[in-house]
Amino acid sequence: MRNAFAKAIIDLCNTPDCVFLTGDLGFMALEEIQAAFGDRFINGGVSEQNMMGVAAGLAREGMRVFAYSIAPFCYARPFEQIRNDICLPDLPVCLVGNGGGYAYGHMGPTHHALEDCAVMSAIGVDVLVPSFDEDVSAIVNSPSGPTYLRLGYDARPAETLVTAYAPWREVLPGEVGAVAALGPLAGVAWGALEYLPVSQRPAVWAVGSLDRTAIPEAFWSQSKEKPMYILEEHVEFGGLGSVIALEAVKRGHQPSVLTHKYALGYPSKTYGSQDFHRKQCGLDGETLHDIVMATL
């Protein structure tokens, strides 16, 4: 999604109040943004705390600011500056974290973002997680306050088309319950279940927001007294599972079976590719397929 993000940002280059900041990264991805934005492209260096302070200052002057870094360096290292300088005054800064979840694979836990959605939501940042490349441009044009944009890899089946972005979208119909998959895991679930007959599979929903008011009635209808599956490359608490569970309790909603698959950290105490970590956590397509078949 990094390339899709770069294209979407370049489309904003003629907006004179738009500024782009980066923490000294983006090699072979951000050069075109730099050329398009000129002196409104600022390399803040390996100094994320300072970059957030600069972003807040620019936003106070009426600028629309995007601050880009590897996900954990975007939300964890400068947490205090985000909370105090951006969130408390409610400034329109979009924090762009590239490589959500285990996306940086072999680089290990310092480069993984497993609790980012919970951390950002807790201080009032709007968390947006595109599922597919096409979602990025729509999301980039939507932020109006403190926002965290979590980028990953589009994992949908080859040569498939998606409808226009919405916080919740049904990407695969099904008649036996419903899957809510955060961001790119929607593509994983789609690929795992598309070959099952509609009558033997759950519907798959691509979820791009943690706003509980955005959960559609159709999702509740599909999972009423039927299986509900929640998939997220995020820790157990504070993410999509927590949002759905809270709203379900408020509604008195009861699925027949609730399966929540989430990031388990490092069960084997070893590090590998994103696919390796997803497999260890049961967030891969094969495991989802087996769980659905066992439920049936």
Side-chain angles (χ1 to χ4, degrees):
M1 289 177 189
R2 187 174 67 170
N3 291 335
F5 169 73
K7 292 178 181 178
I9 288 295
I10 289 171
D11 288 341
L12 299 175
C13 71
N14 293 323
T15 305
D17 63 350
C18 189
V19 181
F20 188 92
L21 286 75
T22 178
D24 199 29
L25 52 90
F27 178 66
M28 297 298 290
L30 302 185
E31 286 83 0
E32 292 185 7
I33 297 177
Q34 183 177 19
F37 275 73
D39 60 6
R40 287 180 290 118
F41 179 99
I42 302 172
N43 185 344
V46 185
S47 179
E48 289 82 5
Q49 293 95 334
N50 182 65
M51 183 172 73
M52 295 307 171
V54 171
L58 290 168
R60 282 186 177 274
E61 293 301 312
M63 306 299 285
R64 181 181 176 191
V65 186
F66 292 87
Y68 174 96
S69 189
I70 294 173
F73 306 157
C74 185
Y75 76 90
R77 184 174 291 170
F79 174 80
E80 182 179 9
Q81 286 72 27
I82 295 170
R83 177 184 180 274
N84 294 351
D85 298 347
I86 296 174
C87 291
L88 292 180
D90 194 32
L91 295 174
V93 175
C94 182
L95 311 172
V96 184
N98 187 47
Y102 294 107
Y104 275 92
H106 294 85
M107 292 187 179
T110 58
H111 284 58
H112 297 162
L114 304 182
E115 68 290 300
D116 49 344
C117 298
V119 171
M120 292 290 94
S121 294
I123 56 174
V125 177
D126 187 18
V127 175
L128 301 175
V129 189
S131 299
F132 313 110
D133 288 342
E134 291 90 338
D135 299 348
V136 177
S137 60
I139 292 177
V140 160
N141 284 285
S142 65
S144 58
T147 304
Y148 174 62
L149 175 57
R150 189 197 213 218
L151 300 179
Y153 293 98
D154 188 333
R156 70 184 178 207
E159 300 181 0
T160 51
L161 300 176
V162 294
T163 57
Y165 173 76
W168 281 68
R169 277 172 301 171
E170 185 182 33
V171 295
L172 186 70
E175 298 176 357
V176 190
V179 175
L182 184 64
L185 285 177
V188 174
W190 185 352
L193 303 178
E194 65 174 341
Y195 299 106
L196 294 177
V198 174
S199 61
Q200 296 181 23
R201 71 187 183 207
V204 175
W205 290 82
V207 182
S209 168
L210 296 186
D211 179 3
R212 66 181 181 83
T213 66
I215 305 175
E217 290 299 325
F219 173 78
W220 298 119
S221 297
Q222 290 169 345
S223 58
K224 183 178 181 180
E225 299 179 353
K226 291 184 178 182
M228 177 191 291
Y229 310 86
I230 304 171
L231 310 178
E232 55 184 326
E233 203 165 328
H234 186 271
V235 294
E236 181 178 12
F237 301 109
L240 181 61
S242 294
V243 169
I244 293 176
L246 177 60
E247 186 64 13
V249 169
K250 290 183 175 180
R251 289 169 166 261
H253 180 81
Q254 292 186 335
S256 62
V257 177
L258 173 60
T259 300
H260 182 200
K261 288 295 182 180
Y262 51 88
L264 297 173
Y266 309 95
S268 67
K269 308 300 181 183
T270 56
Y271 313 119
S273 67
Q274 184 175 32
D275 288 341
F276 167 81
H277 288 293
R278 283 178 173 175
K279 180 70 173 179
Q280 292 228 315
C281 299
L283 290 169
D284 59 301
E286 181 180 356
T287 298
L288 175 60
H289 178 276
D290 291 346
I291 290 172
V292 168
M293 295 306 296
T295 303
L296 288 174

